Amino acid sequence: MKKIITPGLMAIAIFALFLNPDLANAQTKKSKKMEKKILFVVSSHDKKGSTGESTGYYLGEVTHAWEALKDDYTIDFVSPKGGTPPVDGFDLNDPINKQFWDDAVYHNKINNSMKPSEVNPKEYVAIYYAGGHGAMWDFPENAEIAKIATAIYENNGVVGAVCHGPAGLVNIKLSNGKYLVDGKKVNAFTNEEEIAVKLEKVVPFALETKLIERGAKFEKSGLWQPHVTVDGRLVTGQNPQSAKGVGEAILKELKSLGK
């Protein structure tokens, strides 16, 4: 049966909103939140070189940034291959990891990540590259995701990355032909940290060294110390311990931009 909304019912609905403005405000806030989106990039690569050891995106580097941003922004996921990306650092004793993994919406989103071709950069106010060693193999040469990041950045958006996530920044070029990181303060997993985990001869390149070669002004702290570097709309962090700080810095920057 077709429902008919009479003038009387419409008046009652309007009067109800008048009596309960919080209801209208809640709907407005929800609508605004849905308009503000951040794109998280996670690796599709599942092996550490020829070692046979598993890798992928590092769960805590997704979840701790997500936790800082989820109340203000809708978060989507993209990976080089799309679909279900491999996960590393799967520790559900970490309450933030567990909260994320138990969240049906976001668990489904990350396990059904978009392909780069499915992403419209105009929908996003920021892009965030999560780390995990897998990023060292499939982030740098992914031209599609690099173009997405360039479009977001040049639309006055924020680019963030943590740990090995900045591997996705090394080949990003802006419309003026310069590398995104050229002349900017940048942070990432350090050469010393790579040596400490005995993978300096396994990864395809030294991330710190490559960023410096691209013109970055590299900053760092000691092993496993939280370190977040902000240079305008570029936010980078050193290691898994820095993921929450990167999320908070992205949030602060977006708020300052009115996004």
Side-chain angles (χ1 to χ4, degrees):
M1 182 182 294
K2 185 176 179 181
K3 293 182 178 179
I4 300 174
I5 300 176
T6 66
L9 288 174
M10 181 65 74
I12 291 171
I14 294 171
F15 185 65
L17 286 175
F18 177 77
L19 290 178
N20 189 5
D22 288 343
L23 180 61
N25 290 338
Q27 293 296 326
T28 301
K29 287 179 181 178
K30 182 178 180 182
S31 175
K32 286 182 178 179
K33 180 185 175 184
M34 294 306 292
E35 294 171 0
K36 296 181 177 182
K37 298 169 68 177
I38 296 174
L39 185 65
F40 275 35
V41 188
V42 292
S43 175
S44 297
H45 190 84
D46 65 354
K47 289 290 185 292
K48 296 176 183 175
S50 59
T51 65
E53 294 179 14
S54 297
T55 188
Y57 70 89
Y58 199 82
L59 182 59
E61 295 174 23
V62 168
T63 63
H64 285 256
W66 164 84
E67 201 272 337
L69 295 162
K70 66 180 177 65
D71 290 338
D72 295 272
Y73 301 90
T74 296
I75 294 168
D76 292 336
F77 295 89
V78 65
S79 62
K81 294 181 179 179
T84 304
V87 59
D88 198 1
F90 190 76
D91 176 14
L92 294 188
N93 289 320
D94 177 329
I96 304 302
N97 284 357
K98 183 169 173 42
Q99 181 187 359
F100 176 87
W101 209 249
D102 289 346
D103 187 305
V105 172
Y106 279 106
H107 191 161
N108 181 65
K109 277 191 172 189
I110 200 166
N111 278 352
N112 294 277
S113 64
M114 292 184 290
K115 295 178 181 178
S117 60
E118 297 173 319
V119 174
N120 179 0
K122 294 180 181 179
E123 295 182 0
Y124 299 94
V125 296
I127 184 170
Y128 167 74
Y129 289 83
H133 270 93
M136 293 293 288
W137 279 271
D138 65 354
F139 278 9
E141 304 305 324
N142 195 291
E144 287 182 286
I145 298 178
K147 287 179 181 178
I148 292 168
T150 297
I152 292 171
Y153 187 79
E154 293 188 336
N155 194 34
N156 204 38
V158 174
V159 173
V162 73
C163 199
H164 288 94
L169 308 182
V170 299
N171 289 322
I172 294 178
K173 284 189 175 181
L174 303 177
S175 298
N176 61 12
K178 289 188 175 182
Y179 287 108
L180 169 66
V181 299
D182 188 10
K184 294 186 178 69
K185 293 183 292 183
V186 172
N187 187 225
F189 203 67
T190 67
N191 289 349
E192 291 86 354
E193 286 171 323
E194 204 69 81
I195 291 168
V197 296
K198 300 180 180 179
L199 290 171
E200 76 279 9
K201 295 181 180 179
V202 175
V203 291
F205 59 91
L207 182 52
E208 174 186 336
T209 301
K210 181 67 72 174
L211 288 165
I212 292 170
E213 288 174 359
R214 295 295 193 242
K217 299 175 182 177
F218 199 86
E219 297 185 347
K220 59 183 173 181
S221 295
L223 296 177
W224 324 126
Q225 297 302 305
H227 189 128
V228 177
T229 295
V230 179
D231 193 331
R233 292 180 289 109
L234 180 61
V235 181
T236 47
Q238 182 168 319
N239 43 38
Q241 292 80 0
S242 307
K244 179 181 179 181
V246 170
E248 291 172 340
I250 290 172
L251 177 64
K252 182 178 179 181
E253 186 62 26
L254 287 171
K255 294 301 183 185
S256 74
L257 293 167
K259 290 181 176 286

Short mmCIF file of all heavy atoms in Angstrom, two decimals, residues 93-137:
data_model
loop_
_atom_site.label_atom_id
_atom_site.label_comp_id
_atom_site.label_asym_id
_atom_site.label_seq_id
_atom_site.Cartn_x
_atom_site.Cartn_y
_atom_site.Cartn_z
N ASN A 93 45.41 -8.28 21.49
CA ASN A 93 45.57 -7.86 22.89
C ASN A 93 45.67 -6.34 22.98
O ASN A 93 45.49 -5.76 24.05
CB ASN A 93 46.82 -8.51 23.51
CG ASN A 93 46.62 -10.00 23.73
OD1 ASN A 93 45.56 -10.43 24.14
ND2 ASN A 93 47.66 -10.78 23.45
N ASP A 94 45.98 -5.72 21.85
CA ASP A 94 45.93 -4.26 21.75
C ASP A 94 44.46 -3.88 21.64
O ASP A 94 43.78 -4.25 20.68
CB ASP A 94 46.70 -3.82 20.49
CG ASP A 94 46.66 -2.32 20.26
OD1 ASP A 94 45.66 -1.67 20.63
OD2 ASP A 94 47.62 -1.79 19.68
N PRO A 95 43.93 -3.14 22.62
CA PRO A 95 42.49 -2.84 22.63
C PRO A 95 42.01 -2.06 21.42
O PRO A 95 40.86 -2.22 20.99
CB PRO A 95 42.29 -2.06 23.93
CG PRO A 95 43.64 -1.55 24.30
CD PRO A 95 44.61 -2.56 23.80
N ILE A 96 42.87 -1.20 20.86
CA ILE A 96 42.47 -0.44 19.67
C ILE A 96 42.39 -1.37 18.46
O ILE A 96 41.47 -1.27 17.65
CB ILE A 96 43.44 0.72 19.40
CG1 ILE A 96 43.54 1.64 20.62
CG2 ILE A 96 42.98 1.52 18.18
CD1 ILE A 96 42.24 2.23 21.07
N ASN A 97 43.34 -2.30 18.35
CA ASN A 97 43.27 -3.30 17.28
C ASN A 97 41.97 -4.09 17.38
O ASN A 97 41.29 -4.33 16.38
CB ASN A 97 44.45 -4.26 17.37
CG ASN A 97 45.74 -3.66 16.86
OD1 ASN A 97 45.77 -2.54 16.39
ND2 ASN A 97 46.82 -4.42 16.98
N LYS A 98 41.65 -4.51 18.60
CA LYS A 98 40.43 -5.32 18.82
C LYS A 98 39.18 -4.52 18.49
O LYS A 98 38.23 -5.04 17.88
CB LYS A 98 40.39 -5.84 20.25
CG LYS A 98 39.19 -6.74 20.52
CD LYS A 98 39.32 -7.46 21.85
CE LYS A 98 38.06 -8.24 22.21
NZ LYS A 98 37.43 -8.98 21.11
N GLN A 99 39.17 -3.26 18.90
CA GLN A 99 38.01 -2.41 18.62
C GLN A 99 37.78 -2.31 17.11
O GLN A 99 36.65 -2.41 16.63
CB GLN A 99 38.23 -1.01 19.20
CG GLN A 99 37.05 -0.06 18.98
CD GLN A 99 37.35 1.36 19.42
OE1 GLN A 99 38.44 1.65 19.93
NE2 GLN A 99 36.42 2.25 19.20
N PHE A 100 38.86 -2.11 16.37
CA PHE A 100 38.76 -2.01 14.92
C PHE A 100 38.30 -3.34 14.32
O PHE A 100 37.39 -3.38 13.50
CB PHE A 100 40.11 -1.61 14.33
CG PHE A 100 40.15 -1.58 12.83
CD1 PHE A 100 39.79 -0.44 12.13
CD2 PHE A 100 40.54 -2.70 12.09
CE1 PHE A 100 39.81 -0.40 10.75
CE2 PHE A 100 40.57 -2.68 10.71
CZ PHE A 100 40.21 -1.53 10.03
N TRP A 101 38.94 -4.42 14.74
CA TRP A 101 38.66 -5.73 14.16
C TRP A 101 37.25 -6.20 14.46
O TRP A 101 36.64 -6.93 13.68
CB TRP A 101 39.68 -6.75 14.66
CG TRP A 101 39.94 -7.86 13.67
CD1 TRP A 101 39.59 -9.17 13.80
CD2 TRP A 101 40.61 -7.75 12.41
NE1 TRP A 101 40.00 -9.88 12.69
CE2 TRP A 101 40.62 -9.04 11.82
CE3 TRP A 101 41.19 -6.69 11.72
CZ2 TRP A 101 41.21 -9.30 10.57
CZ3 TRP A 101 41.77 -6.94 10.47
CH2 TRP A 101 41.77 -8.21 9.93
N ASP A 102 36.70 -5.76 15.60
CA ASP A 102 35.33 -6.12 15.99
C ASP A 102 34.28 -5.19 15.39
O ASP A 102 33.08 -5.43 15.53
CB ASP A 102 35.19 -6.12 17.51
CG ASP A 102 35.92 -7.28 18.17
OD1 ASP A 102 36.31 -8.22 17.45
OD2 ASP A 102 36.12 -7.22 19.40
N ASP A 103 34.74 -4.12 14.75
CA ASP A 103 33.81 -3.18 14.11
C ASP A 103 33.40 -3.75 12.76
O ASP A 103 34.20 -3.80 11.82
CB ASP A 103 34.49 -1.81 13.94
CG ASP A 103 33.53 -0.74 13.46
OD1 ASP A 103 32.90 -0.94 12.41
OD2 ASP A 103 33.44 0.31 14.10
N ALA A 104 32.16 -4.19 12.65
CA ALA A 104 31.72 -4.88 11.43
C ALA A 104 31.88 -4.03 10.18
O ALA A 104 32.27 -4.53 9.12
CB ALA A 104 30.26 -5.31 11.59
N VAL A 105 31.60 -2.74 10.30
CA VAL A 105 31.67 -1.85 9.13
C VAL A 105 33.10 -1.74 8.63
O VAL A 105 33.39 -1.94 7.44
CB VAL A 105 31.10 -0.46 9.47
CG1 VAL A 105 31.36 0.52 8.32
CG2 VAL A 105 29.61 -0.55 9.75
N TYR A 106 34.03 -1.42 9.55
CA TYR A 106 35.40 -1.19 9.11
C TYR A 106 36.15 -2.49 8.81
O TYR A 106 37.02 -2.52 7.94
CB TYR A 106 36.15 -0.32 10.13
CG TYR A 106 35.81 1.13 9.92
CD1 TYR A 106 34.96 1.81 10.79
CD2 TYR A 106 36.32 1.82 8.82
CE1 TYR A 106 34.63 3.13 10.58
CE2 TYR A 106 35.99 3.14 8.60
CZ TYR A 106 35.15 3.80 9.47
OH TYR A 106 34.83 5.10 9.23
N HIS A 107 35.82 -3.56 9.51
CA HIS A 107 36.41 -4.85 9.18
C HIS A 107 36.03 -5.23 7.75
O HIS A 107 36.88 -5.69 6.97
CB HIS A 107 35.91 -5.91 10.17
CG HIS A 107 36.65 -7.20 10.10
ND1 HIS A 107 36.64 -8.11 11.12
CD2 HIS A 107 37.43 -7.76 9.14
CE1 HIS A 107 37.37 -9.17 10.79
NE2 HIS A 107 37.85 -8.97 9.59
N ASN A 108 34.78 -5.02 7.41
CA ASN A 108 34.32 -5.31 6.06
C ASN A 108 34.99 -4.40 5.03
O ASN A 108 35.37 -4.85 3.94
CB ASN A 108 32.80 -5.16 5.97
CG ASN A 108 32.27 -5.48 4.59
OD1 ASN A 108 32.34 -6.60 4.12
ND2 ASN A 108 31.73 -4.48 3.92
N LYS A 109 35.15 -3.12 5.40
CA LYS A 109 35.77 -2.18 4.47
C LYS A 109 37.20 -2.56 4.13
O LYS A 109 37.61 -2.56 2.96
CB LYS A 109 35.76 -0.76 5.06
CG LYS A 109 34.47 0.00 4.86
CD LYS A 109 34.67 1.45 5.25
CE LYS A 109 33.49 2.30 4.88
NZ LYS A 109 33.74 3.74 5.06
N ILE A 110 38.00 -2.89 5.15
CA ILE A 110 39.41 -3.18 4.88
C ILE A 110 39.57 -4.53 4.19
O ILE A 110 40.50 -4.72 3.39
CB ILE A 110 40.26 -3.10 6.17
CG1 ILE A 110 41.74 -2.91 5.79
CG2 ILE A 110 40.07 -4.31 7.07
CD1 ILE A 110 42.64 -2.49 6.93
N ASN A 111 38.67 -5.46 4.46
CA ASN A 111 38.74 -6.76 3.81
C ASN A 111 38.16 -6.74 2.40
O ASN A 111 38.22 -7.74 1.68
CB ASN A 111 38.04 -7.83 4.64
CG ASN A 111 38.93 -8.37 5.74
OD1 ASN A 111 40.12 -8.05 5.80
ND2 ASN A 111 38.37 -9.17 6.62
N ASN A 112 37.59 -5.63 2.03
CA ASN A 112 37.09 -5.43 0.67
C ASN A 112 37.61 -4.08 0.15
O ASN A 112 36.84 -3.25 -0.35
CB ASN A 112 35.55 -5.47 0.64
CG ASN A 112 35.01 -6.83 0.97
OD1 ASN A 112 34.93 -7.70 0.13
ND2 ASN A 112 34.64 -7.03 2.24
N SER A 113 38.91 -3.89 0.29
CA SER A 113 39.51 -2.61 -0.10
C SER A 113 39.29 -2.33 -1.59
O SER A 113 39.19 -3.25 -2.41
CB SER A 113 41.00 -2.60 0.22
OG SER A 113 41.69 -3.59 -0.55
N MET A 114 39.20 -1.06 -1.90
CA MET A 114 39.00 -0.65 -3.29
C MET A 114 40.27 -0.83 -4.11
O MET A 114 41.38 -0.79 -3.57
CB MET A 114 38.58 0.82 -3.34
CG MET A 114 37.20 1.09 -2.78
SD MET A 114 36.71 2.83 -2.99
CE MET A 114 37.81 3.64 -1.83
N LYS A 115 40.10 -0.98 -5.40
CA LYS A 115 41.21 -0.87 -6.33
C LYS A 115 41.43 0.62 -6.61
O LYS A 115 40.48 1.41 -6.52
CB LYS A 115 40.91 -1.60 -7.63
CG LYS A 115 40.77 -3.10 -7.49
CD LYS A 115 40.41 -3.73 -8.83
CE LYS A 115 40.25 -5.22 -8.70
NZ LYS A 115 39.86 -5.85 -10.00
N PRO A 116 42.65 1.02 -6.97
CA PRO A 116 42.89 2.44 -7.25
C PRO A 116 41.94 3.02 -8.30
O PRO A 116 41.51 4.18 -8.20
CB PRO A 116 44.34 2.46 -7.74
CG PRO A 116 44.97 1.29 -7.06
CD PRO A 116 43.90 0.23 -7.02
N SER A 117 41.56 2.20 -9.29
CA SER A 117 40.68 2.67 -10.36
C SER A 117 39.27 3.00 -9.86
O SER A 117 38.51 3.67 -10.55
CB SER A 117 40.60 1.62 -11.47
OG SER A 117 40.07 0.39 -10.96
N GLU A 118 38.93 2.53 -8.66
CA GLU A 118 37.60 2.76 -8.11
C GLU A 118 37.54 4.02 -7.24
O GLU A 118 36.47 4.35 -6.72
CB GLU A 118 37.18 1.55 -7.27
CG GLU A 118 37.05 0.27 -8.09
CD GLU A 118 36.79 -0.96 -7.24
OE1 GLU A 118 37.40 -1.08 -6.16
OE2 GLU A 118 35.98 -1.80 -7.67
N VAL A 119 38.66 4.69 -7.07
CA VAL A 119 38.74 5.84 -6.17
C VAL A 119 38.54 7.15 -6.93
O VAL A 119 39.15 7.37 -7.98
CB VAL A 119 40.11 5.88 -5.45
CG1 VAL A 119 40.25 7.15 -4.62
CG2 VAL A 119 40.27 4.64 -4.57
N ASN A 120 37.70 8.01 -6.38
CA ASN A 120 37.54 9.37 -6.89
C ASN A 120 38.24 10.32 -5.91
O ASN A 120 37.72 10.56 -4.82
CB ASN A 120 36.07 9.74 -7.02
CG ASN A 120 35.86 11.17 -7.51
OD1 ASN A 120 36.82 11.90 -7.79
ND2 ASN A 120 34.61 11.58 -7.62
N PRO A 121 39.41 10.85 -6.27
CA PRO A 121 40.17 11.69 -5.33
C PRO A 121 39.39 12.89 -4.81
O PRO A 121 39.66 13.37 -3.70
CB PRO A 121 41.38 12.15 -6.15
CG PRO A 121 41.48 11.16 -7.27
CD PRO A 121 40.09 10.72 -7.57
N LYS A 122 38.43 13.37 -5.59
CA LYS A 122 37.68 14.56 -5.19
C LYS A 122 36.84 14.33 -3.95
O LYS A 122 36.39 15.28 -3.32
CB LYS A 122 36.79 15.02 -6.35
CG LYS A 122 37.56 15.53 -7.56
CD LYS A 122 36.62 15.96 -8.67
CE LYS A 122 37.40 16.44 -9.89
NZ LYS A 122 36.48 16.84 -10.99
N GLU A 123 36.62 13.07 -3.58
CA GLU A 123 35.78 12.75 -2.42
C GLU A 123 36.55 12.81 -1.11
O GLU A 123 35.94 12.71 -0.05
CB GLU A 123 35.19 11.34 -2.58
CG GLU A 123 34.23 11.20 -3.73
CD GLU A 123 33.65 9.79 -3.81
OE1 GLU A 123 34.01 8.95 -2.95
OE2 GLU A 123 32.86 9.53 -4.73
N TYR A 124 37.89 13.00 -1.16
CA TYR A 124 38.70 12.84 0.04
C TYR A 124 39.45 14.11 0.41
O TYR A 124 40.00 14.80 -0.44
CB TYR A 124 39.69 11.68 -0.16
CG TYR A 124 38.98 10.37 -0.39
CD1 TYR A 124 38.71 9.92 -1.68
CD2 TYR A 124 38.49 9.63 0.68
CE1 TYR A 124 38.01 8.75 -1.90
CE2 TYR A 124 37.78 8.45 0.47
CZ TYR A 124 37.55 8.02 -0.83
OH TYR A 124 36.83 6.86 -1.02
N VAL A 125 39.47 14.37 1.72
CA VAL A 125 40.20 15.54 2.23
C VAL A 125 41.62 15.17 2.64
O VAL A 125 42.45 16.04 2.89
CB VAL A 125 39.47 16.17 3.43
CG1 VAL A 125 38.12 16.72 3.00
CG2 VAL A 125 39.31 15.17 4.58
N ALA A 126 41.91 13.86 2.74
CA ALA A 126 43.25 13.42 3.12
C ALA A 126 43.48 12.00 2.63
O ALA A 126 42.52 11.25 2.37
CB ALA A 126 43.43 13.48 4.64
N ILE A 127 44.75 11.64 2.51
CA ILE A 127 45.15 10.28 2.20
C ILE A 127 46.24 9.89 3.19
O ILE A 127 47.10 10.70 3.54
CB ILE A 127 45.65 10.15 0.74
CG1 ILE A 127 45.98 8.69 0.40
CG2 ILE A 127 46.83 11.07 0.47
CD1 ILE A 127 46.24 8.46 -1.10
N TYR A 128 46.17 8.65 3.68
CA TYR A 128 47.09 8.19 4.71
C TYR A 128 47.65 6.82 4.32
O TYR A 128 46.90 5.87 4.10
CB TYR A 128 46.36 8.09 6.05
CG TYR A 128 47.09 7.33 7.13
CD1 TYR A 128 48.19 7.89 7.79
CD2 TYR A 128 46.68 6.05 7.52
CE1 TYR A 128 48.85 7.19 8.79
CE2 TYR A 128 47.33 5.36 8.53
CZ TYR A 128 48.42 5.93 9.16
OH TYR A 128 49.08 5.24 10.16
N TYR A 129 48.97 6.75 4.20
CA TYR A 129 49.65 5.51 3.86
C TYR A 129 50.07 4.79 5.14
O TYR A 129 50.97 5.23 5.86
CB TYR A 129 50.91 5.79 3.05
CG TYR A 129 50.70 6.27 1.63
CD1 TYR A 129 50.44 7.62 1.36
CD2 TYR A 129 50.78 5.40 0.55
CE1 TYR A 129 50.28 8.07 0.06
CE2 TYR A 129 50.62 5.84 -0.75
CZ TYR A 129 50.37 7.17 -1.00
OH TYR A 129 50.21 7.62 -2.29
N ALA A 130 49.41 3.65 5.43
CA ALA A 130 49.82 2.83 6.56
C ALA A 130 51.04 1.99 6.16
O ALA A 130 51.20 1.63 5.01
CB ALA A 130 48.68 1.92 6.99
N GLY A 131 51.87 1.69 7.17
CA GLY A 131 53.07 0.92 6.88
C GLY A 131 52.87 -0.58 7.01
O GLY A 131 51.77 -1.11 6.88
N GLY A 132 53.96 -1.25 7.33
CA GLY A 132 54.08 -2.68 7.19
C GLY A 132 55.10 -2.90 6.10
O GLY A 132 55.15 -2.12 5.13
N HIS A 133 55.96 -3.90 6.23
CA HIS A 133 57.04 -4.06 5.25
C HIS A 133 56.54 -4.26 3.82
O HIS A 133 57.24 -3.93 2.86
CB HIS A 133 57.96 -5.21 5.66
CG HIS A 133 59.10 -4.77 6.53
ND1 HIS A 133 59.02 -4.80 7.91
CD2 HIS A 133 60.32 -4.28 6.23
CE1 HIS A 133 60.16 -4.34 8.42
NE2 HIS A 133 60.96 -4.02 7.43
N GLY A 134 55.30 -4.78 3.67
CA GLY A 134 54.78 -4.97 2.33
C GLY A 134 54.81 -3.70 1.50
O GLY A 134 55.00 -3.75 0.27
N ALA A 135 54.64 -2.55 2.17
CA ALA A 135 54.60 -1.27 1.46
C ALA A 135 55.88 -1.00 0.67
O ALA A 135 55.85 -0.29 -0.34
CB ALA A 135 54.38 -0.14 2.48
N MET A 136 56.99 -1.56 1.11
CA MET A 136 58.26 -1.30 0.44
C MET A 136 58.29 -1.89 -0.97
O MET A 136 59.04 -1.43 -1.83
CB MET A 136 59.41 -1.88 1.26
CG MET A 136 59.64 -1.19 2.59
SD MET A 136 60.24 0.51 2.39
CE MET A 136 61.92 0.21 1.83
N TRP A 137 57.46 -2.88 -1.22
CA TRP A 137 57.45 -3.52 -2.53
C TRP A 137 56.37 -2.99 -3.47
O TRP A 137 56.61 -2.89 -4.67
CB TRP A 137 57.29 -5.04 -2.37
CG TRP A 137 58.58 -5.73 -2.02
CD1 TRP A 137 59.51 -6.23 -2.90
CD2 TRP A 137 59.10 -5.96 -0.71
NE1 TRP A 137 60.58 -6.76 -2.21
CE2 TRP A 137 60.35 -6.63 -0.86
CE3 TRP A 137 58.64 -5.70 0.58
CZ2 TRP A 137 61.13 -7.01 0.22
CZ3 TRP A 137 59.42 -6.07 1.66
CH2 TRP A 137 60.64 -6.72 1.48
#
